Amino acid sequence: LASNFNPQANQNNGTCIYPGCTDPIAANYNPQANQNNGSCVYPGCTDPNAANYNAQANLNNGTCIYLGCTDPNASNYNAQANQNNGTCIYPGCTDPTAANYNPQANQNNGSCIFSGCTNPAAINFNPQANFNDGSCIIIGCTNPIAQNYNPNANQDNGTCIILGCTDSNAANYNPSANTNNNSCIYPGCTIAIADNYNPNANFNDGS
């Protein structure tokens, strides 16, 4: 069995050579071998990029561990990783008070939606809101015929100013008016020497 077997020899002088792997930690360790022939096999991870890289290993046994995010739904998904190291990133809205709060998200991407009134002119203006939900309350005059009509107002506050003649005795009395603009017309005789002169009249009716 020795590599230097001598068929002529009839007395063993202890020089027999048995080549093989002499390292007990090798997978193919040969306890009979007395001369290492460089055939030792060390199974392990041979990839330097792996977390468990073994510099001594010369036979990859498929045990390499690649740390990273193994979830395809994450933004930093690593297709090579085979062991999740808890670094997965899920972008989304992380604010529980937002309308689109995502409990799975762990990185705020600025997409949070805060519903409310975004109009600074409204009495219920919400400076935090970035999405107008139509709840804005803008008080003012909602009557289009008023002098101070506010086309943006949606809640009348009773401040409408409607100019006109407010005297029911006048010929041009305007029942809708609430502010007298001195335009009232009182027909009658405005000639002082006439028998039917009317000092209150401001429009001569030819009488």
Side-chain angles (χ1 to χ4, degrees):
L1 299 175
S3 63
N4 61 337
F5 166 62
N6 186 351
Q8 286 186 330
N10 56 15
Q11 187 179 72
N12 197 324
N13 61 356
T15 60
C16 287
I17 297 174
Y18 301 96
C21 178
T22 60
D23 189 349
I25 67 172
N28 61 334
Y29 166 60
N30 184 354
Q32 187 184 23
N34 59 10
Q35 186 179 83
N36 199 319
N37 62 353
S39 64
C40 289
V41 176
Y42 302 97
C45 178
T46 59
D47 189 348
N49 296 317
N52 61 332
Y53 166 61
N54 185 350
Q56 187 183 27
N58 57 13
L59 180 71
N60 200 319
N61 61 355
T63 60
C64 289
I65 296 174
Y66 300 97
L67 301 176
C69 178
T70 58
D71 188 351
N73 296 316
S75 62
N76 62 331
Y77 166 61
N78 185 349
Q80 187 185 24
N82 57 14
Q83 188 176 98
N84 200 317
N85 61 352
T87 60
C88 290
I89 297 175
Y90 303 96
C93 177
T94 58
D95 192 334
T97 64
N100 62 331
Y101 166 60
N102 183 355
Q104 187 187 26
N106 58 12
Q107 185 181 83
N108 200 318
N109 62 353
S111 64
C112 290
I113 297 174
F114 299 97
S115 299
C117 177
T118 59
N119 191 338
I123 60 174
N124 61 333
F125 167 60
N126 183 355
Q128 187 186 24
N130 57 13
F131 177 78
N132 200 319
D133 60 359
S135 65
C136 291
I137 299 174
I138 302 175
I139 61 173
C141 176
T142 59
N143 192 336
I145 68 172
Q147 292 292 111
N148 59 334
Y149 167 60
N150 184 355
N152 297 317
N154 56 15
Q155 188 177 96
D156 200 297
N157 61 352
T159 60
C160 290
I161 299 174
I162 302 175
L163 300 176
C165 178
T166 58
D167 188 350
S168 58
N169 295 316
N172 62 332
Y173 166 60
N174 183 354
S176 298
N178 59 15
T179 303
N180 200 318
N181 63 351
N182 298 318
S183 64
C184 291
I185 297 175
Y186 303 98
C189 179
T190 58
I191 299 176
I193 63 174
D195 290 336
N196 62 333
Y197 168 63
N198 185 353
N200 294 321
N202 60 9
F203 177 76
N204 196 319
D205 60 359
S207 62

